[in-house]
Amino acid sequence: MKKIIAANWKMNKTLVETKDFFREFKSKVNAQENCEIIICPPFISLTEAANECKNTNIKIGAQNCHYESSGAFTGEISAEMLCDIGVQYVILGHSERRKYFFETDEMINKKIHKALENDLKVIFCVGESIEIREKNAVNEFIAEQINSGLKGVSKENLRNVIVAYEPIWAIGTGKAINSESACCVARFIKKCLADNFGSETAVLYGGSVKPENANEFVKSSDIDGLLVGGASLKAESFAEIIFAVR
Ligand code: PGA
């Protein structure tokens, strides 16, 4: 199976910067068939990004969507709207959405259902805080996030879900988890999905991934790819991650 390398740009890049990124990035990764590449820019750049990626092997994702189809939800964007402009993926349940925008497992579950109804593929993020890791309660915590986040999702729909394991303490800190511990949690997530949903689901690792450590995570068959924040903002370093995975 091809590894999946996804970029989460968070709240970064203007439209002009987005165009510049794609010009440089496409020239570097042109004809790279070794992995699935997904790039998730902010909402305002999605149309441009989707146009830039027509007839390439790069797919475009959003970083959020609402759980209703339309209506009086000032400032929100629906899954339908994303589909309409050629977006194929959406990141849901990111720890920054949980922390700064108070998203609960229940809200994330409703968003996942709505995204799947609209044929969007979901990158569903889970991950523990440092306190939970120190209490040795990682597996229980992750199992709860998975079971609540994916409640009611059919085995068939789970084919369109990728789980991203992102320990909160490793995000944006430069302190990635060691690859053995990441594999251990990835295996646990796969077992959880197989036992409770009967599904085989891809699991990505995210948290301080850089060109230097990317290969360490993906060389194991337990980890199917990477979700990259900071190191995906420069075309050069994101391309280096893709080359490292080769
Ligand atoms: P990071 O972010 O690579 O900057 O640690 C990862 C993420 O939040 O998805």
Side-chain angles (χ1 to χ4, degrees), residues 17 24 87 92 109 130 142 207:
E17 288 164 349
E24 193 186 339
V87 169
L92 293 173
N109 177 251
I130 194 67
I142 302 269

Side-chain angles (χ1 to χ4, degrees), residues 17-226:
E17 288 164 349
T18 300
K19 286 184 198 170
D20 289 346
F21 175 96
F22 278 103
R23 194 173 319 116
E24 193 186 339
F25 183 69
K26 284 193 296 184
S27 72
K28 288 186 190 297
V29 301
N30 190 20
Q32 282 296 319
E33 295 293 341
N34 60 314
C35 49
E36 286 274 335
I37 304 170
I38 306 162
I39 298 184
C40 306
F43 286 129
I44 59 137
S45 294
L46 287 172
T47 306
E48 185 65 33
N51 286 337
E52 286 282 349
C53 295
K54 268 189 196 139
N55 307 319
T56 72
N57 60 343
I58 306 166
K59 308 269 186 333
I60 297 302
Q63 299 168 20
N64 184 27
C65 72
H66 196 259
Y67 52 76
E68 292 293 344
S69 302
S70 63
F73 298 99
T74 302
E76 290 294 319
I77 303 281
S78 72
E80 268 107 326
M81 293 170 187
L82 296 176
C83 257
D84 183 52
I85 55 167
V87 169
Q88 288 170 279
Y89 286 83
V90 61
I91 299 174
L92 293 173
H94 192 281
S95 60
E96 288 153 15
R97 300 287 322 166
R98 294 178 193 258
K99 180 178 175 194
Y100 300 119
F101 304 97
F102 314 108
E103 289 194 9
T104 61
D105 287 334
E106 195 192 357
M107 282 161 77
I108 294 160
N109 177 251
K110 289 204 286 189
K111 290 180 178 207
I112 291 176
H113 278 279
K114 188 52 80 178
L116 293 171
E117 252 172 53
N118 286 282
D119 294 328
L120 285 175
K121 294 191 170 128
V122 172
I123 301 176
F124 168 43
C125 301
V126 297
E128 81 286 357
S129 63
I130 194 67
E131 292 78 17
I132 290 183
R133 178 152 286 267
E134 282 167 356
K135 270 198 260 166
N136 279 329
V138 176
N139 288 2
E140 294 88 315
F141 183 81
I142 302 269
E144 175 57 28
Q145 281 189 324
I146 288 182
N147 292 331
S148 331
L150 297 177
K151 193 169 165 194
V153 177
S154 67
K155 182 177 168 182
E156 192 178 300
N157 273 343
L158 266 172
R159 281 196 213 119
N160 290 324
V161 176
I162 299 167
V163 176
Y165 168 55
E166 299 203 306
I168 298 170
W169 49 272
I171 296 177
T173 57
K175 286 188 236 142
I177 193 172
N178 70 56
S179 56
E180 221 167 280
S181 311
C183 286
C184 194
V185 181
R187 270 199 303 276
F188 174 76
I189 291 172
K190 287 184 180 185
K191 185 174 178 320
C192 220
L193 289 158
D195 291 351
N196 302 344
F197 298 88
S199 128
E200 276 180 35
T201 305
V203 176
L204 314 183
Y205 167 72
S208 296
V209 172
K210 304 180 268 268
E212 302 80 54
N213 63 10
N215 190 51
E216 225 175 276
F217 292 106
V218 292
K219 67 186 179 204
S220 149
S221 62
D222 296 322
I223 296 180
D224 303 292
L226 302 165

